[in-house]
Amino acid sequence: MFNQPIPAITKNLLIINGLFFLAALVFGSRGIDLGGILGAFYPESVNFRPWQIITHMFMHAPFPNLSHILFNMFALWMFGSTVEQTLGAKKFLILYFAAGLGSFILFNFTNYLQIQNLKEVVESSGVNVSAFIQTLVYNSSSIPMPNTSNPQAVNELAAYYLTPMVGASGAIYGILVAFGVLYPNAKLALLFFPVPVKAKYFIPIMIALEFFLAIQNYAWNPIAHFAHIGGAIIGFILVRAWKKNLHRTW
């Protein structure tokens, strides 16, 4: 199944992600952080720009952290090739971007819930929250710390507005779930779990683990577990709707 040639959309997505990563390296060496331009900030942040909703799907953690892009591109090649050949190029492209958008929406919705609670805490500590948010400019040389009785809550609130969301992981999880829906009996043996397990068991366990980790670390953290879940939900909904009209052999 995985010896097939890489179909066009999957190949081009691999190339585009690679080019974005190389561009980040080149611009980074010149003092320009593309993550702050193309990564997706929380929509209320002064750093947010509309194009980030799309471009964040092609940005990854900066060098030398290669594990982020390598894992995502490995999964895109491994599962995307089969899913694209099954769904066709058009549906596969829709799946990729729709899962990425679902990832962005769920991630920021859960952030919104957490931010609203933090705003109340920070406001009660003597901070003008609206004015403070306007000072949170990405890569600013210094961020003025307001007088507050709760600096921990202030720093946590600032992190939501100053940390861009990057990565194709939401789109990848959509593809991963799509593979599980299309080929539930395919046996998977990945590097970190070498024992073959059917996709219909393996993938739900992965999603459940993501949800557990998201709940355990609900406050801001560098791994956007809810983003993964958002992509997975969209992938499941789309492919379940499409599967009934597919005529394929296994």
Side-chain angles (χ1 to χ4, degrees), residues 100-228:
L101 290 173
S103 168
F104 175 84
I105 291 169
L106 183 60
F107 177 66
N108 282 289
F109 174 71
T110 55
N111 279 352
Y112 169 80
L113 297 178
Q114 188 71 5
I115 286 170
Q116 293 306 110
N117 291 331
L118 274 173
K119 281 182 176 179
E120 294 180 6
V121 173
V122 172
E123 192 83 45
S124 67
S125 73
V127 176
N128 183 328
V129 171
S130 298
F132 175 59
I133 289 172
Q134 296 304 308
T135 69
L136 299 176
V137 178
Y138 184 74
N139 270 353
S140 176
S141 56
S142 64
I143 298 171
M145 176 59 70
N147 292 325
T148 176
S149 60
N150 194 339
Q152 180 178 350
V154 170
N155 285 327
E156 188 176 338
L157 180 65
Y160 279 101
Y161 289 86
L162 290 171
T163 308
M165 171 189 184
V166 296
S169 301
I172 299 302
Y173 267 78
I175 292 170
L176 182 66
V177 168
F179 179 89
V181 172
L182 294 169
Y183 299 103
N185 293 315
K187 291 187 176 181
L188 305 176
L190 303 182
L191 296 176
F192 57 87
F193 194 82
V195 179
V197 178
K198 289 184 178 181
K200 63 183 177 183
Y201 304 126
F202 186 86
I203 292 174
I205 289 172
M206 284 190 63
I207 302 303
L209 179 61
E210 286 288 342
F211 186 75
F212 173 78
L213 293 173
I215 295 298
Q216 290 299 307
N217 196 6
Y218 181 51
W220 179 88
N221 70 92
I223 301 178
H225 296 292
F226 278 113
H228 300 168

Side-chain angles (χ1 to χ4, degrees), residues 16-88:
I16 293 170
N17 275 280
L19 289 175
F20 269 67
F21 189 76
L22 289 176
L25 288 178
V26 173
F27 279 87
S29 68
R30 290 163 171 75
I32 301 173
D33 183 359
L34 283 187
I37 300 172
L38 303 179
F41 287 90
Y42 181 66
E44 191 186 13
S45 171
V46 296
N47 307 290
F48 175 75
R49 301 291 183 273
W51 63 74
Q52 296 171 355
I53 297 173
I54 299 297
T55 56
H56 85 274
M57 302 179 201
F58 300 100
M59 295 298 298
H60 287 84
F63 183 84
N65 184 2
L66 294 176
S67 60
H68 190 206
I69 187 170
L70 289 179
F71 177 81
N72 278 347
M73 295 305 98
F74 173 75
L76 176 57
W77 162 75
M78 185 176 182
F79 298 102
S81 296
T82 300
V83 172
E84 181 181 347
Q85 289 191 338
T86 304
L87 295 178

